Amino acid sequence: MSESKPDSKLKTALELGPVLAFFVAYLWLKDRTFTIAGTDYDGFIVVTAMFIPVMVAATGALWWLTGHLSRMQVVTVVLIVVFGGLSVWLNDERFFKVKPTLIYLIFGGVLGAGLLQGKSYLRLVMESMVPLRDEGWMILTRRVTAFFFALALANELVWRTMSTEAWVYFKTFGLTAALFLFFIFQGKLFQTYGIEDDDTAS
């Protein structure tokens, strides 16, 4: 396990690479059917089976490079293994599609539980990246909690009412864009409640 700070490009590649690889592999294999041990598997299931070890390996590499993993990363990879594995084992894509719903419900539920106690668990994860005053953390945590529940609902609506291909596009690009835009729109909050570095050298 390395103690040195990893190259940011490598870190980004390990975080986003498996998701983009899943998307490319799905586009390549989506119309194919594979017969394995007498059972037919469509392209989505085969790609899911390939994605699981890739995601585990990428997460392991991140841990080796950085020396730690966030709770979010650990929960995500565990749910991918469990629900991706169920999809492959039972030859049923619904298990893998419901995985983002559960991830967002778990994170939203944990943040919500903290709010009920008057605490911001989000602060524990993001404080080093976004220094805010206490009130700012509580406001941001309420917004992120609501946002996670909204994403869980959106995922349910998409996979239950649209095609598998539409869901793959939504998961790869829609959810990523939604997270990006959400934090872009928090700019005013960061300005209002941000803490400037107090580095006055004498």
Side-chain angles (χ1 to χ4, degrees):
M1 181 172 45
S2 172
E3 293 295 326
S4 59
K5 192 166 178 132
D7 179 85
S8 60
K9 290 181 183 174
L10 176 58
K11 186 170 179 290
T12 301
L14 288 170
E15 289 172 341
L16 300 181
V19 176
L20 292 176
F22 176 90
F23 176 74
V24 171
Y26 171 76
L27 291 183
W28 181 35
L29 300 175
K30 64 178 180 175
D31 297 322
R32 297 180 60 182
T33 300
F34 299 82
T35 303
I36 303 168
T39 301
D40 289 339
Y41 297 91
D42 65 28
F44 182 89
I45 296 296
V46 172
V47 172
T48 300
M50 294 188 293
F51 175 70
I52 296 168
V54 169
M55 189 66 188
V56 170
T59 304
L62 269 174
W63 176 78
W64 186 79
L65 285 167
T66 65
H68 74 280
L69 293 172
S70 70
R71 292 182 181 90
M72 187 177 290
Q73 289 169 317
V74 173
V75 170
T76 298
V77 79
V78 167
L79 290 178
I80 285 171
V81 170
V82 172
F83 286 89
L86 283 172
S87 278
V88 175
W89 182 34
L90 300 174
N91 200 8
D92 187 340
E93 62 188 31
R94 292 175 298 176
F95 289 99
F96 192 65
K97 288 179 177 179
V98 83
K99 182 261 305 172
T101 301
L102 293 174
I103 288 175
Y104 291 126
L105 286 178
I106 288 170
F107 294 153
V110 168
L111 293 180
L115 287 171
L116 290 175
Q117 302 170 56
K119 299 176 183 175
S120 170
Y121 291 150
L122 186 66
R123 183 176 193 164
L124 300 176
V125 181
M126 293 184 63
E127 189 168 25
S128 60
M129 297 179 282
V130 187
L132 296 173
R133 298 201 297 274
D134 291 345
E135 332 153 58
W137 278 116
M138 294 305 289
I139 294 170
L140 183 60
T141 303
R142 284 194 290 271
R143 291 180 183 178
V144 171
T145 301
F147 181 61
F148 278 153
F149 286 132
L151 289 181
L153 177 60
N155 186 66
E156 285 297 295
L157 290 173
V158 171
W159 84 258
R160 290 178 186 275
T161 62
M162 301 175 76
S163 67
T164 294
E165 184 167 350
W167 179 81
V168 170
Y169 276 93
F170 167 75
K171 180 184 178 299
T172 306
F173 301 110
L175 291 177
T176 304
L179 283 164
F180 179 75
L181 289 172
F182 173 81
F183 281 102
I184 286 290
F185 282 109
Q186 305 314 308
K188 178 72 174 169
L189 181 144
F190 297 146
Q191 286 179 356
T192 304
Y193 296 98
I195 300 173
E196 293 185 13
D197 289 336
D198 215 4
D199 261 351
T200 36
S202 25

